[in-house]
Amino acid sequence: YLFNYQGTTNVKNEETWSLETGYTAKLLKTLTLLLNAYFQRFEDMVGYTTTTSLVGGLPVSSGTIGNIDAADSYGVEIELKKTFTQAIFSTWYAYNGFDADSLGRFRAYGPARHKIGLRGRLQCGRGWTLNSNYRYTNTTPSLVGGGSVPAKIPHANHRLDLTVIKSFNEERGEWVLGVSDICNETNGPHLGLSDLTGHETPGRIIFTRMRYKFQ
């Protein structure tokens, strides 16, 4: 075996401290601004440290699991929402940052720093409602090596979700037909430095749902 994980008996639970704040302003009668921000502090984050030695002329690396690092996470979300008689439209932007205190090795991805989206809901009458959600996400960074690895997977992507809703029996019942992630057929396998997926994951999903409220 060229790489081995070694356990430990003194791993502590990770801790998270969070501070969140928000502000909502009605700019006009039908125009609303939403502003939210957060800061999180992570302590005793679990990761691994590695050592490499030669065994029989071959390099053998050993990873020791433990509480190796701490990190700060922070972000802001802004949304502008416009309301009409039978429709609601909004646009939003989100920034998400993540900074580890040291170059700890995490087998994980960090948050994509920039996201932007559009939302829409249209009441068509007779119990019909159309919903659409679009989101653009920029490159998601790898946290392997504390984010120092140049390869960043997955790449920037677009996502569009569509649903049609029909309510009935005085809105006690609801039928939903939708398509999730209509822009993406599948997410293929990928291989980076300590970041790997050997199989495809589903992208576009067609679904239906029925809900009824009994009184």
Side-chain angles (χ1 to χ4, degrees):
Y1 298 98
L2 299 181
F3 195 89
N4 299 301
Y5 283 110
Q6 300 178 359
T8 182
T9 59
N10 59 350
V11 177
K12 297 184 293 184
N13 288 330
E14 296 179 331
E15 294 183 353
T16 302
W17 301 87
S18 179
L19 177 64
E20 302 177 19
T21 185
Y23 176 75
T24 301
K26 204 156 186 117
L27 303 179
L28 299 171
K29 186 176 181 180
T30 59
L31 188 64
T32 305
L33 174 68
L34 297 93
L35 177 63
N36 298 289
Y38 70 90
F39 175 83
Q40 292 176 308
R41 176 65 181 174
F42 297 92
E43 299 285 352
D44 297 322
M45 296 181 68
V46 176
Y48 63 96
T49 56
T50 59
T51 57
T52 303
S53 58
L54 292 177
V55 178
L58 295 175
V60 176
S61 297
S62 297
T64 302
I65 309 262
N67 302 101
I68 65 170
D69 207 353
D72 294 328
S73 178
Y74 46 88
V76 62
E77 301 170 357
I78 303 172
E79 182 175 3
L80 192 63
K81 182 168 61 176
K82 175 69 173 177
T83 304
F84 299 90
T85 303
Q86 292 182 304
I88 299 176
F89 295 99
S90 65
T91 180
W92 59 270
Y93 167 79
Y95 175 86
N96 303 106
F98 184 91
D99 295 323
D101 287 359
S102 61
L103 294 180
R105 293 182 61 84
F106 299 105
R107 295 181 64 88
Y109 296 119
R113 288 190 177 271
H114 304 282
K115 306 180 187 74
I116 191 170
L118 299 169
R119 298 189 184 103
R121 168 172 287 199
L122 178 62
Q123 302 284 350
C124 301
R126 296 186 178 182
W128 289 95
T129 304
L130 303 179
N131 289 295
S132 64
N133 289 285
Y134 166 77
R135 182 188 70 200
Y136 167 78
T137 303
N138 79 326
T139 303
T140 299
S142 167
L143 294 181
V144 175
S148 62
V149 178
K152 296 182 178 181
I153 303 171
H155 299 292
N157 63 87
H158 303 267
R159 175 168 181 149
L160 177 63
D161 302 329
L162 301 173
T163 58
V164 178
I165 303 174
K166 177 66 171 75
S167 61
F168 55 91
N169 196 8
E170 298 180 349
E171 298 187 351
R172 292 175 60 186
E174 182 182 83
W175 171 72
V176 179
L177 176 65
V179 183
S180 176
D181 203 1
I182 194 173
C183 300
N184 183 29
E185 293 187 1
T186 57
N187 294 310
H190 60 265
L191 177 63
L193 180 59
S194 296
D195 300 320
L196 56 93
T197 300
H199 55 81
E200 292 183 342
T201 54
R204 182 188 308 133
I205 298 174
I206 300 175
F207 65 93
T208 185
R209 181 178 69 244
M210 181 75 74
R211 183 176 63 182
Y212 191 84
K213 181 180 179 180
F214 295 93
Q215 293 180 342

